[in-house]
Amino acid sequence: MNRKILFCGLLLSGMLLAPVVSRAQEEPDKIALANDKFENNFYEALKQKGIENYDKALLALEVCRAEEPNNPVVYHEMGKNYLALKNYPEAEKAFLKATQLDPANRWYWVGLYDVYYQTQNYNSAIPIVLKLTEWRKEYYQEDLVSLYMYTDQYDKALTLIDELEETVGHTERREMYKLQILSDNRYNKPEKEALEEAIRKNPKLESNYLELIYLYSESNEEEKAAKVAEKLQKEIPESDWAQVSLFKFNLNDNKGDEAAKSMFRVLGSEKIDRKIKHRVLNEFLIYTNNNPEYEADLDRAVGYFEDDKEINVPKEVGKFFFTKRNFNQATHYFQKSLETNADDIETIELLLYSYAEDNNFAELFNMSTQYTELYPTHARLYYFAGLAANKQQQFKKAKEWLENGIDFVVEDKELEAGFNRQLGEAYAGLGDEKKKEAYFSKANKLLKPGE
């Protein structure tokens, strides 16, 4: 559930202005206090709560309750302190008392909702959230959808999801809930006919098309699903969601050009969640691996994710091509990744591996030696520099880079063996057979099991 924390230790700062009877919608802490004993203890309670001395805060609030036993603010504060102590039964009692004394104050109901949510008492939470919708309808309806799902009230959840889709649009969470509901046989068998009829009656309601596409796809009726998507595009040309389905159908039919058009429409949409965009890109990436004539389209698509803060998309695409041994494409995307993440050592190493596998030794030497300035103690960079120099028969350079870097190897027998093997190659090129054999022997010994 996308839980909204609506109040969190609100602190007073001398703003207690009005008597209890006149504060229906003020936040509970902003209340005028009548007498010094009450006031002093109430402020003491707030102070102790602020430094997380909840037990001491409750002692002060007991004094306040004795002074004013019908003041809902006192019970609300007691509820917050009991909640912080995870004393849920007492917190529930306190918040209930506050709502009884002043049912018009939203914050008291929120406190009670917090108790039921934290104790996973979702059935009790539902009537509270229904009450809260009197103040902020759509805000709390989102919570209500999740509560209905948690309590298996799928009918109510589906009705509310449809209502929210019409009023505020789609969200990924609600789409996930809807798919979960429609995957239940109790719902999807009669639903197809109902959705077909709903589309005939109201052809401009997008959500009905999306549900029907899903249902046909789930029952392997791809041709029917594609026709619904085409109808959606015709009836609602501005629908970006239609393009998600059309993209998939066009890929399945090997219509690369049409799939690319749909993909770019999806990637450029502000309505479609980023995770769905990632999924579309991933499917086109797999398609491009088998149809390299679409590499330019893929490159353009990757550009849509240049501001992605969660996933380094060019790097991940590079990894895909690396595992497929398409080192030319891997190199391209690792370079693109380093344009915005220049110090990512994993990408640097993957780029250098790609150069080595692609026999691009001139670039391998150039880049590996440059990166030693950024990572002067990173052994693998020296290894690549030595390897590249050897491959270009620059044996003296190879020897220097390898000897400078081998001391940075730490608990990596395979890399240490690689250094010794390349040093053997360098000395072989320099005509020193004795050292060549010594280094080859050391490399072989390092790689023997148990050594």
Coordinates of all heavy atoms in Angstrom, one line a residue, residues 372 375-387 397-424 427 435 438-440 442-443 446:
T372 N 44.3 4.5 -16.0 CA 45.2 4.4 -14.8 C 45.4 5.7 -14.1 O 45.7 5.7 -12.9 CB 46.6 3.8 -15.2 OG1 47.2 4.7 -16.2 CG2 46.5 2.4 -15.7
Y375 N 42.4 5.6 -11.8 CA 42.5 4.5 -10.9 C 43.9 4.0 -10.9 O 44.2 2.9 -11.5 CB 41.5 3.3 -11.2 CG 40.1 3.7 -11.0 CD1 39.3 4.0 -12.1 CD2 39.5 3.7 -9.8 CE1 37.9 4.3 -12.0 CE2 38.1 4.0 -9.6 CZ 37.4 4.3 -10.7 OH 36.0 4.6 -10.6
P376 N 44.8 4.7 -10.3 CA 46.3 4.4 -10.4 C 46.7 3.1 -9.7 O 47.8 2.6 -9.9 CB 46.9 5.6 -9.7 CG 45.9 6.1 -8.8 CD 44.6 5.9 -9.5
T377 N 45.8 2.5 -8.8 CA 46.2 1.2 -8.1 C 45.3 0.1 -8.6 O 45.2 -1.0 -7.9 CB 46.1 1.4 -6.6 OG1 44.7 1.7 -6.2 CG2 47.0 2.5 -6.1
H378 N 44.6 0.2 -9.7 CA 43.7 -0.8 -10.1 C 44.4 -1.7 -11.1 O 44.7 -1.4 -12.2 CB 42.4 -0.2 -10.8 CG 41.3 -1.2 -11.0 ND1 40.5 -1.5 -10.0 CD2 40.9 -1.9 -12.1 CE1 39.6 -2.4 -10.4 NE2 39.8 -2.6 -11.7
A379 N 44.7 -2.9 -10.6 CA 45.6 -3.8 -11.3 C 45.2 -4.2 -12.7 O 46.0 -4.3 -13.6 CB 45.8 -5.1 -10.4
R380 N 43.9 -4.4 -12.8 CA 43.4 -5.0 -14.1 C 43.7 -4.0 -15.3 O 43.9 -4.4 -16.4 CB 41.9 -5.3 -14.0 CG 41.5 -6.3 -15.1 CD 40.1 -6.8 -14.8 NE 39.9 -7.4 -13.5 CZ 40.2 -8.7 -13.3 NH1 40.6 -9.5 -14.3 NH2 40.0 -9.2 -12.1
L381 N 43.7 -2.7 -15.0 CA 44.0 -1.7 -16.0 C 45.4 -1.9 -16.6 O 45.7 -1.8 -17.8 CB 43.8 -0.3 -15.5 CG 42.4 0.1 -15.0 CD1 42.5 1.5 -14.4 CD2 41.4 0.0 -16.1
Y382 N 46.4 -2.2 -15.7 CA 47.8 -2.4 -16.1 C 47.8 -3.7 -16.9 O 48.6 -3.8 -17.8 CB 48.7 -2.5 -14.8 CG 48.8 -1.2 -14.1 CD1 47.8 -0.8 -13.1 CD2 49.9 -0.3 -14.3 CE1 48.0 0.4 -12.5 CE2 50.0 0.9 -13.7 CZ 49.0 1.2 -12.7 OH 49.1 2.4 -12.0
Y383 N 47.1 -4.7 -16.5 CA 47.0 -6.0 -17.2 C 46.6 -5.8 -18.6 O 47.2 -6.3 -19.6 CB 46.1 -7.0 -16.5 CG 45.8 -8.2 -17.4 CD1 46.8 -9.2 -17.5 CD2 44.7 -8.3 -18.1 CE1 46.6 -10.3 -18.3 CE2 44.4 -9.4 -18.9 CZ 45.4 -10.4 -19.0 OH 45.1 -11.5 -19.8
F384 N 45.5 -5.0 -18.8 CA 45.0 -4.7 -20.2 C 46.1 -3.9 -21.0 O 46.2 -4.2 -22.2 CB 43.7 -4.0 -20.1 CG 42.5 -4.8 -19.9 CD1 41.7 -4.6 -18.8 CD2 42.2 -5.9 -20.7 CE1 40.6 -5.4 -18.6 CE2 41.1 -6.7 -20.5 CZ 40.3 -6.5 -19.4
A385 N 46.7 -3.0 -20.3 CA 47.7 -2.2 -21.0 C 48.9 -3.1 -21.5 O 49.4 -3.0 -22.7 CB 48.3 -1.1 -20.1
G386 N 49.3 -4.1 -20.6 CA 50.4 -5.0 -21.0 C 49.9 -5.9 -22.1 O 50.7 -6.2 -23.0
L387 N 48.7 -6.4 -22.0 CA 48.2 -7.3 -23.0 C 48.1 -6.6 -24.4 O 48.6 -7.2 -25.4 CB 46.7 -7.8 -22.6 CG 45.9 -8.5 -23.7 CD1 46.5 -9.9 -24.0 CD2 44.5 -8.7 -23.3
K397 N 57.2 -1.9 -23.7 CA 56.1 -1.2 -23.0 C 55.2 -2.2 -22.2 O 54.8 -1.9 -21.1 CB 55.2 -0.5 -24.1 CG 55.7 0.8 -24.6 CD 54.6 1.5 -25.5 CE 55.1 2.8 -26.1 NZ 54.1 3.4 -26.9
A398 N 55.0 -3.3 -22.8 CA 54.2 -4.3 -22.1 C 54.9 -4.7 -20.8 O 54.2 -4.8 -19.8 CB 54.1 -5.6 -23.0
K399 N 56.2 -5.0 -20.9 CA 57.0 -5.3 -19.7 C 56.8 -4.2 -18.6 O 56.6 -4.5 -17.4 CB 58.4 -5.5 -20.0 CG 59.4 -5.7 -18.9 CD 60.8 -5.8 -19.4 CE 61.8 -5.7 -18.3 NZ 61.8 -4.3 -17.7
E400 N 56.9 -3.0 -19.0 CA 56.9 -1.9 -18.0 C 55.5 -1.8 -17.3 O 55.4 -1.7 -16.1 CB 57.2 -0.6 -18.7 CG 58.7 -0.5 -19.1 CD 58.9 0.8 -20.0 OE1 58.0 1.5 -20.3 OE2 60.1 1.0 -20.3
W401 N 54.5 -1.9 -18.2 CA 53.1 -1.8 -17.6 C 52.8 -2.9 -16.7 O 52.2 -2.8 -15.6 CB 52.1 -1.6 -18.7 CG 52.0 -0.3 -19.3 CD1 52.6 0.2 -20.4 CD2 51.3 0.9 -18.7 NE1 52.3 1.5 -20.6 CE2 51.6 2.0 -19.5 CE3 50.6 1.0 -17.5 CZ2 51.0 3.2 -19.3 CZ3 50.1 2.3 -17.2 CH2 50.3 3.4 -18.1
L402 N 53.2 -4.1 -17.1 CA 52.9 -5.3 -16.3 C 53.7 -5.3 -15.0 O 53.1 -5.7 -13.9 CB 53.2 -6.6 -17.1 CG 52.3 -6.8 -18.3 CD1 52.9 -7.8 -19.3 CD2 50.9 -7.2 -17.9
E403 N 54.9 -5.0 -15.0 CA 55.7 -4.9 -13.8 C 55.2 -3.8 -12.9 O 55.3 -4.0 -11.6 CB 57.2 -4.7 -14.2 CG 57.8 -5.9 -14.8 CD 59.3 -5.7 -15.2 OE1 59.7 -4.5 -15.3 OE2 60.0 -6.7 -15.4
N404 N 54.8 -2.7 -13.4 CA 54.2 -1.7 -12.6 C 52.9 -2.1 -11.9 O 52.6 -1.6 -10.8 CB 54.0 -0.4 -13.4 CG 55.3 0.3 -13.7 OD1 56.3 0.1 -13.0 ND2 55.3 1.1 -14.8
G405 N 52.1 -2.9 -12.6 CA 50.8 -3.2 -12.1 C 50.7 -4.5 -11.2 O 49.7 -4.6 -10.4
I406 N 51.6 -5.4 -11.3 CA 51.4 -6.7 -10.7 C 51.4 -6.6 -9.2 O 50.8 -7.4 -8.5 CB 52.5 -7.7 -11.2 CG1 52.1 -9.1 -10.8 CG2 53.9 -7.3 -10.6 CD1 53.0 -10.2 -11.4
D407 N 52.1 -5.6 -8.6 CA 52.1 -5.4 -7.2 C 50.7 -5.0 -6.6 O 50.5 -5.1 -5.4 CB 53.1 -4.4 -6.8 CG 54.6 -4.9 -6.9 OD1 54.7 -6.1 -7.0 OD2 55.5 -4.1 -7.1
F408 N 49.8 -4.5 -7.5 CA 48.5 -4.1 -7.0 C 47.5 -5.3 -7.0 O 46.4 -5.1 -6.6 CB 48.0 -3.0 -8.0 CG 48.8 -1.8 -8.0 CD1 49.2 -1.2 -9.1 CD2 49.1 -1.1 -6.8 CE1 50.0 0.0 -9.1 CE2 49.9 0.0 -6.8 CZ 50.3 0.6 -7.9
V409 N 47.9 -6.5 -7.5 CA 47.0 -7.6 -7.5 C 46.9 -8.1 -6.0 O 47.9 -8.3 -5.3 CB 47.6 -8.8 -8.3 CG1 46.6 -10.0 -8.3 CG2 47.8 -8.3 -9.8
V410 N 45.6 -8.3 -5.6 CA 45.4 -8.7 -4.2 C 44.4 -9.9 -4.2 O 43.3 -9.8 -4.7 CB 44.7 -7.6 -3.4 CG1 44.4 -8.0 -2.0 CG2 45.6 -6.3 -3.3
E411 N 44.9 -11.0 -3.8 CA 44.1 -12.3 -3.7 C 43.2 -12.6 -4.9 O 42.0 -12.8 -4.8 CB 43.2 -12.1 -2.4 CG 44.0 -12.1 -1.1 CD 43.1 -12.0 0.1 OE1 41.8 -11.9 -0.1 OE2 43.6 -12.0 1.2
D412 N 43.9 -12.5 -6.0 CA 43.2 -12.9 -7.3 C 44.2 -13.7 -8.1 O 45.0 -13.2 -8.9 CB 42.8 -11.6 -8.1 CG 41.9 -11.9 -9.3 OD1 42.0 -13.0 -9.8 OD2 41.2 -11.0 -9.7
K413 N 44.2 -15.0 -7.9 CA 45.2 -15.9 -8.5 C 45.1 -15.9 -10.1 O 46.1 -16.0 -10.8 CB 45.0 -17.3 -8.0 CG 45.6 -17.5 -6.6 CD 45.5 -19.0 -6.2 CE 46.2 -19.2 -4.8 NZ 46.2 -20.6 -4.5
E414 N 43.8 -15.8 -10.5 CA 43.6 -15.8 -12.0 C 44.2 -14.6 -12.6 O 44.9 -14.7 -13.7 CB 42.1 -15.9 -12.3 CG 41.9 -16.1 -13.8 CD 40.4 -16.3 -14.1 OE1 39.6 -16.6 -13.2 OE2 40.0 -16.1 -15.3
L415 N 44.0 -13.4 -12.0 CA 44.6 -12.2 -12.6 C 46.1 -12.2 -12.4 O 46.9 -11.8 -13.3 CB 44.0 -11.0 -11.8 CG 44.6 -9.6 -12.3 CD1 44.3 -9.4 -13.8 CD2 43.9 -8.5 -11.5
E416 N 46.6 -12.7 -11.3 CA 48.1 -12.8 -11.1 C 48.7 -13.7 -12.1 O 49.8 -13.4 -12.7 CB 48.4 -13.3 -9.7 CG 49.9 -13.2 -9.3 CD 50.1 -13.7 -7.9 OE1 49.2 -13.9 -7.1 OE2 51.3 -13.8 -7.5
A417 N 48.0 -14.8 -12.4 CA 48.5 -15.7 -13.4 C 48.5 -15.0 -14.8 O 49.4 -15.2 -15.6 CB 47.6 -17.0 -13.5
G418 N 47.5 -14.2 -15.1 CA 47.4 -13.5 -16.3 C 48.6 -12.5 -16.5 O 49.2 -12.4 -17.5
F419 N 48.9 -11.8 -15.4 CA 50.1 -11.0 -15.4 C 51.4 -11.7 -15.7 O 52.2 -11.3 -16.6 CB 50.3 -10.3 -14.0 CG 49.6 -8.9 -13.9 CD1 48.3 -8.8 -13.5 CD2 50.3 -7.8 -14.3 CE1 47.7 -7.5 -13.4 CE2 49.7 -6.5 -14.2 CZ 48.4 -6.4 -13.7
N420 N 51.6 -12.9 -15.1 CA 52.8 -13.7 -15.3 C 52.8 -14.2 -16.7 O 53.9 -14.3 -17.4 CB 52.9 -14.8 -14.3 CG 53.3 -14.3 -12.9 OD1 54.5 -14.1 -12.7 ND2 52.4 -14.1 -12.0
R421 N 51.7 -14.6 -17.2 CA 51.6 -15.1 -18.6 C 52.0 -14.0 -19.6 O 52.8 -14.2 -20.5 CB 50.2 -15.6 -18.9 CG 50.2 -16.5 -20.2 CD 48.8 -17.0 -20.4 NE 48.3 -17.8 -19.4 CZ 47.3 -17.5 -18.5 NH1 46.7 -16.3 -18.7 NH2 46.9 -18.3 -17.6
Q422 N 51.5 -12.8 -19.4 CA 51.8 -11.7 -20.3 C 53.2 -11.2 -20.1 O 53.9 -10.8 -21.1 CB 50.8 -10.5 -20.0 CG 49.4 -10.8 -20.5 CD 49.3 -11.2 -22.0 OE1 50.0 -10.6 -22.8 NE2 48.5 -12.2 -22.3
L423 N 53.8 -11.3 -18.9 CA 55.2 -11.0 -18.7 C 56.0 -12.0 -19.5 O 57.1 -11.7 -20.1 CB 55.5 -11.0 -17.2 CG 55.2 -9.7 -16.5 CD1 55.2 -9.9 -15.0 CD2 56.2 -8.6 -16.9
G424 N 55.6 -13.3 -19.5 CA 56.3 -14.3 -20.2 C 56.3 -14.0 -21.7 O 57.3 -14.1 -22.4
Y427 N 58.7 -11.0 -22.3 CA 60.1 -11.5 -22.3 C 60.5 -12.3 -23.5 O 61.6 -12.3 -24.1 CB 60.5 -12.2 -21.0 CG 60.8 -11.2 -19.9 CD1 60.0 -10.9 -18.9 CD2 62.0 -10.4 -20.0 CE1 60.3 -10.0 -17.9 CE2 62.3 -9.5 -19.0 CZ 61.4 -9.3 -17.9 OH 61.8 -8.4 -17.0
K435 N 63.7 -15.9 -18.6 CA 62.6 -15.2 -17.9 C 61.2 -15.6 -18.5 O 60.2 -15.7 -17.7 CB 62.8 -13.7 -17.9 CG 63.9 -13.3 -17.0 CD 63.9 -11.7 -16.9 CE 65.0 -11.3 -15.8 NZ 65.0 -9.8 -15.6
A438 N 60.3 -18.8 -16.8 CA 60.1 -18.6 -15.4 C 58.7 -18.0 -15.2 O 57.9 -18.5 -14.3 CB 61.1 -17.7 -14.8
Y439 N 58.3 -17.1 -16.0 CA 57.0 -16.5 -15.8 C 55.8 -17.4 -16.2 O 54.8 -17.5 -15.6 CB 56.9 -15.1 -16.6 CG 57.5 -14.0 -15.8 CD1 58.7 -13.4 -16.3 CD2 56.9 -13.5 -14.6 CE1 59.3 -12.3 -15.6 CE2 57.5 -12.5 -13.9 CZ 58.7 -11.9 -14.4 OH 59.2 -10.9 -13.7
F440 N 56.1 -18.1 -17.3 CA 55.0 -19.1 -17.7 C 54.9 -20.2 -16.7 O 53.7 -20.6 -16.4 CB 55.4 -19.8 -19.1 CG 55.2 -18.9 -20.3 CD1 55.8 -19.1 -21.5 CD2 54.2 -17.9 -20.2 CE1 55.6 -18.3 -22.6 CE2 53.9 -17.1 -21.3 CZ 54.6 -17.3 -22.5
K442 N 55.4 -19.9 -13.4 CA 54.7 -19.3 -12.3 C 53.2 -19.2 -12.6 O 52.4 -19.4 -11.7 CB 55.3 -18.0 -12.0 CG 54.8 -17.4 -10.7 CD 55.5 -16.1 -10.3 CE 55.0 -15.6 -9.0 NZ 55.7 -14.3 -8.6
A443 N 52.9 -18.8 -13.8 CA 51.5 -18.7 -14.2 C 50.8 -20.0 -14.1 O 49.6 -20.1 -13.5 CB 51.3 -18.1 -15.6
L446 N 50.2 -21.1 -10.4 CA 49.1 -20.3 -9.8 C 47.7 -20.9 -10.1 O 46.8 -20.8 -9.3 CB 49.2 -18.9 -10.2 CG 50.2 -18.0 -9.5 CD1 50.4 -16.7 -10.3 CD2 49.8 -17.7 -8.1

